[in-house]
Amino acid sequence: MADHDADLFVIGAGSGGVRAARIASSYGARVMIAEEFRVGGTCVIRGCVPKKLLVYASRFSGEFEDAAGYGWTVPEPKFHWPTLIANKDREIARLEAAYITTLERFNVKLLKSRAVLEDAHTVRLLSSGARVRAETILIATGGWPHPGPKIPGLEHVISSNEVFHLPELPKRIVIQGGGYIAVEFACIFAGLGSEVTLVYRGENILRGFDDDVREHLRSEMRGRGITVTCGHTVTAIEKAGDKLVTRLSDDSTVTVDKVMFAIGRRPNIMGLGLKSVGVKLAEHGGIAVDEYSRTSVANIYAVGDVTNRANLTPVAIREGHAFADTIYGGKPTPVDHANVPTAVFSEPELGVIGLTEAQAREQLAKVDVYKTSFRPMKATLAGRNTRSFMKLLVDGITGRVVGCHIVGPDAGELIQLVGVAVKMGATKADFDATMAVHPTAAEELVTMREKAMSYGRSAAE
Ligand SMILES: Cc1cc2nc3c(=O)[nH]c(=O)nc-3n(C[C@H](O)[C@H](O)[C@H](O)COP(=O)(O)OP(=O)(O)OC[C@H]3O[C@@H](n4cnc5c(N)ncnc54)[C@H](O)[C@@H]3O)c2cc1C
């Protein structure tokens, strides 16, 4: 349209925004994208990628310990946090540059500015005050760490935004939160040698995950020296020299070098101008969208964490891609949010897909549960006291596998492939008919024969 500067204006160059921009452009749309911080968004700059690099770093300590049982003599290993952070920063800069190159290659015009909505077709760039008119606007502004309740000393608390840039490794750290980010960082710091106290207000970590998995991981974390304190909150933080005295709700104190809160993330919508333009929010606080990511304003769409559907990078990417296919590719593409496989990069790792046991029992008339717990082979010579756990939930009527939960080495890798089978509707009989790969841990998934439990609803229910 002649009176528009762009066919599509994307706010936010993260996982969802970048994918939408480049696919829309490949269909011939004139696309602009605004980014107020760094191109790549949370995942690349201060989320999945730097976190996974820290996870890798943290796992060497266990490998050094385990090596002795396999005949290796390892000189006392020393860890240097500034080296890790500098190398990580270099890699993140490389990835950011690659993202920028991709946008350039796809003729997407990048505007390094915060952008806010002025009306349904106008975006204002705060860096210059310039206004841009676009036929369609896509909001892909992601999420932001919840700062936490206003307790005394909150100013001393860091979030996942700052944790990647600490000048030194904290000797002792309190992490408040029970979600995957809190759990992952507890394991990262423990692996790197910090003394870690995880404080969570609920009764067990990883709310929303299968109860067996939560319990198994909690006990593994304790076995690795992490203090897991559930049913409590941090109520105050007091500075004492270069230390932080952290007070908990039972009035106990923990003296540490750093306090990190990872108590959830909120859709990043502050000051965007949504209300004045008429973009409505859903009950969960994210932008309300339909299955094509269209908001309550016909030409404004939203994808990724800002919609608070499933806050994961591959989901944001899929939503961005589907939006571009729908609007510019002539292929209306709804996104299927069912059976999203996901991992927690704790130590040991966790991989899950589908229903938890509690959900399966609630939703299905008959549920068969298969589970196993075993010592991974590698732990035997290493003398490491650890166990892996696997669980399959099966619809007792159709035989379909409706949930798979794995705690153990490479669980994230395993669940990606189990995810294909589950998405295809594989049955327990299909799992059983698949020949085992021996000796692996994954073979347990196709050799679980005995039901641990079978639940059925009576006719009256
Ligand atoms: C510590 C951590 C670890 C994580 N680990 C994983 C993981 O292992 N696996 C996984 O799948 N997911 C993980 N996630 C979640 C993942 O990062 C997000 O789901 C994903 O980045 C969402 O993509 P998005 O496009 O919605 O938003 P983002 O990637 O957050 O991008 C939004 C972008 O918009 C920009 N922006 C915001 N407002 C404006 C504005 N007004 N104007 C201009 N620009 C703006 C922001 O600066 C940002 O760059 C993790 C997140 C965190 C915090």
Side-chain angles (χ1 to χ4, degrees):
M1 278 196 188
D3 67 331
H4 290 134
D5 306 303
D7 297 319
L8 171 64
F9 193 100
V10 181
I11 307 180
S15 306
V18 167
R19 175 59 67 93
R22 81 171 168 84
I23 301 300
S25 182
S26 74
Y27 285 128
R30 293 174 305 143
V31 184
M32 292 184 184
I33 191 166
E35 173 52 54
E36 67 175 345
F37 182 54
R38 290 180 66 183
V39 176
T42 305
C43 175
V44 176
I45 307 297
R46 46 193 174 193
C48 337
V49 176
K51 174 198 75 188
K52 190 78 189 278
L53 296 174
L54 265 54
V55 167
Y56 285 130
S58 70
R59 288 182 178 165
F60 281 97
S61 53
E63 295 288 316
F64 294 136
E65 282 168 19
D66 290 355
Y70 285 90
W72 289 91
T73 304
V74 181
E76 195 195 341
K78 287 196 176 64
F79 172 68
H80 191 239
W81 171 266
T83 301
L84 170 63
I85 296 303
N87 289 348
K88 180 265 296 173
D89 285 344
R90 199 172 320 114
E91 174 58 8
I92 300 308
R94 185 189 72 77
L95 287 173
E96 183 182 13
Y99 267 71
I100 293 172
T101 305
T102 301
L103 289 173
E104 285 166 358
R105 201 156 45 84
F106 279 86
N107 289 321
V108 175
K109 186 166 182 196
L110 172 63
L111 305 157
K112 293 298 298 280
S113 170
R114 179 168 171 79
V116 296
L117 296 168
E118 242 180 36
D119 63 43
H121 289 281
T122 311
V123 167
R124 189 156 53 89
L125 302 173
L126 296 195
S127 61
S128 61
R131 287 176 173 76
V132 179
R133 284 190 55 77
E135 188 180 1
T136 302
I137 293 170
L138 177 69
I139 303 170
T141 51
W144 196 254
H146 191 305
K150 286 198 171 32
I151 55 166
L154 186 63
E155 68 276 13
H156 303 304
V157 170
I158 59 164
S159 72
S160 62
N161 283 352
E162 293 79 37
V163 75
F164 294 111
H165 299 286
L166 297 179
E168 55 191 39
L169 177 71
K171 283 199 183 64
R172 279 173 297 178
I173 184 166
V174 160
I175 300 176
Q176 175 161 240
Y180 78 93
I181 294 176
V183 164
E184 288 174 338
F185 275 96
C187 296
I188 288 170
F189 281 115
L192 294 177
S194 307
E195 214 175 278
V196 180
T197 304
L198 185 71
V199 180
Y200 177 52
R201 69 175 176 178
E203 74 189 43
N204 204 354
I205 55 170
L206 292 177
R207 186 164 60 91
F209 284 75
D210 186 89
D211 287 338
D212 279 339
V213 163
R214 298 167 78 189
E215 204 42 56
H216 190 94
L217 185 63
R218 181 174 170 174
S219 100
E220 285 285 331
M221 287 171 72
R222 282 186 166 150
R224 283 168 171 76
I226 298 171
T227 304
V228 181
T229 305
C230 289
H232 290 294
T233 54
V234 173
T235 54
I237 298 146
E238 223 174 87
K239 201 154 170 53
D242 59 352
K243 302 282 176 223
L244 297 170
V245 180
T246 313
R247 190 167 295 280
L248 307 189
S249 46
D250 63 356
D251 227 24
S252 65
T253 56
V254 195
T255 301
V256 293
D257 305 297
K258 283 285 170 230
V259 179
M260 174 179 174
F261 281 6
I263 53 174
R265 291 173 62 80
R266 289 172 169 170
N268 201 352
I269 51 171
M270 267 246 280
L272 261 186
L274 298 181
K275 205 166 177 193
S276 60
V277 175
V279 174
K280 295 208 169 81
L281 300 185
E283 253 174 45
H284 53 53
I287 294 178
V289 287
D290 69 10
E291 57 181 340
Y292 299 105
S293 298
R294 186 195 290 252
T295 71
S296 50
V297 176
N299 70 305
I300 301 183
Y301 291 75
V303 294
D305 285 9
V306 77
T307 63
N308 208 4
R309 287 177 276 185
N311 298 332
L312 295 165
T313 290
V315 177
I317 290 173
R318 183 66 65 89
E319 289 168 358
H321 202 125
F323 154 80
D325 282 346
T326 302
I327 307 303
Y328 301 102
K331 290 180 280 185
T333 310
V335 174
D336 178 6
H337 290 92
N339 282 328
V340 174
T342 175
V344 177
F345 296 100
S346 45
E347 183 60 25
E349 210 163 285
L350 211 146
V352 306
I353 184 165
L355 304 180
T356 64
E357 185 173 327
Q359 288 167 338
R361 288 184 63 182
E362 204 177 287
Q363 294 175 26
L364 304 174
K366 191 166 180 295
V367 182
D368 295 332
V369 182
Y370 297 82
K371 53 184 174 182
T372 176
S373 163
F374 57 95
R375 194 173 191 206
M377 192 193 256
K378 190 178 165 200
T380 53
L381 295 201
R384 180 170 290 279
N385 183 16
T386 180
R387 292 189 77 76
S388 292
F389 174 80
M390 293 181 185
K391 181 175 196 174
L392 287 178
L393 297 159
V394 178
D395 182 328
I397 295 187
T398 63
R400 272 184 68 162
V401 175
V402 293
C404 177
H405 306 264
I406 304 172
V407 190
D410 298 322
E413 305 290 340
L414 297 181
I415 207 68
Q416 179 68 82
L417 299 178
V418 174
V420 178
V422 171
K423 199 78 187 160
M424 288 174 75
T427 61
K428 178 68 168 59
D430 293 323
F431 275 60
D432 294 345
T434 305
M435 202 68 84
V437 178
H438 185 72
T440 64
E443 67 182 305
E444 296 286 331
L445 289 169
V446 297
T447 54
M448 281 189 258
R449 296 278 185 259
E450 300 291 320
K451 285 178 203 167
M453 227 90 75
S454 197
Y455 302 102
R457 276 196 210 134
S458 67
E461 284 177 89

